Amino acid sequence: MKNKHAFICHGGLGDIYIQLLKIKDLDIKSCDIYYRDQMLTHVEDIRILCESQSEVEKFDALNIEQSNEYLDNLKKELEPQYDNVLVLDSTLTNISNVEKITLPEWTTPYDTEYVTINTGAGDWTIADIDPHNTNRRWDYGELQSVVEGIVTKTDLSVILIGKPMSLPPFNNKKIINESEKNIIEQINIIKHAKLNIGFEGFNLVAAMSFNKKMIVKNNPPNHKFEEKNIRYLDEEAYSNIITLDSFSPRDFLPTIMNLRKGLL
């Protein structure tokens, strides 16, 4: 064998981002990733993300129910081919100082400093009202009011990222829809933002891994941020988060105005 490692990964885009951080923190030179999930909702983004990292030689995806029994059996099946095989979860205790995702060099294409707004999180193949997606979607009237409020009341531009989708028309050159950008470009946009705004999920995980400030919508009972028990956040990450129970303009815009001096 060739000092080769294999990792069995599962979950959504945020879960795989966490698992990739755990792989990078091991400081290994090469590995293969076996991604197993019953939905494969974000599989192409996950593939692009994993294959962008120099350590990853092979990415193998399969649509299958990832029961503990299945994952254990897959581990046993792979062990004769590798020096080490690990089934990874998406728990992380050091997201603020973990090894960072490798990204291309950044040359900003924007004329001003900016905040990002995530278009939504969760599983887009199931209904918005499904418990999995609770508190992870915008009311688009509120989104339009918040975006226009930020660009008119501050010197910041707004970059919209997330799932590619049709959004309300914005008649302001400081509002830029980059939801069509690929996952690596969007991570770079998150990394260089003055502030990231969105929901529990990949957007939050990526922002916290680069020690960025973020406004996030509270998401009880699944993710109640005040209890500080989110499986991938550490104390420094919690200090970088402002949690709001509502993303309505009445609640949101005063928070932006209070942050303005510190951001600029």
Side-chain angles (χ1 to χ4, degrees), residues 137-138 142-143 146 197-199 215-218 244-252:
R137 295 287 191 274
W138 282 97
E142 291 183 350
L143 173 62
V146 165
I197 300 164
F199 309 88
I215 298 176
V216 64
K217 190 173 185 181
N218 204 21
L244 295 180
D245 291 322
S246 168
F247 271 8
S248 69
R250 177 179 295 180
D251 296 313
F252 200 101

Side-chain angles (χ1 to χ4, degrees), residues 140-192:
Y140 285 108
E142 291 183 350
L143 173 62
Q144 188 158 13
S145 295
V146 165
V147 169
E148 292 177 349
I150 291 172
V151 297
T152 56
K153 296 177 183 298
T154 77
D155 299 326
L156 297 165
S157 294
V158 170
I159 311 298
L160 294 156
I161 59 172
K163 175 183 169 59
M165 60 196 313
S166 297
L167 294 167
F170 297 105
N171 298 315
N172 191 311
K173 65 180 182 180
K174 291 172 63 180
I175 303 168
I176 305 165
N177 185 356
E178 299 285 35
S179 62
E180 296 287 345
K181 296 284 189 183
N182 70 40
I183 189 70
I184 302 303
E185 293 171 310
Q186 291 200 31
I187 295 171
N188 240 336
I189 291 171
I190 291 169
K191 178 182 177 181
H192 292 90

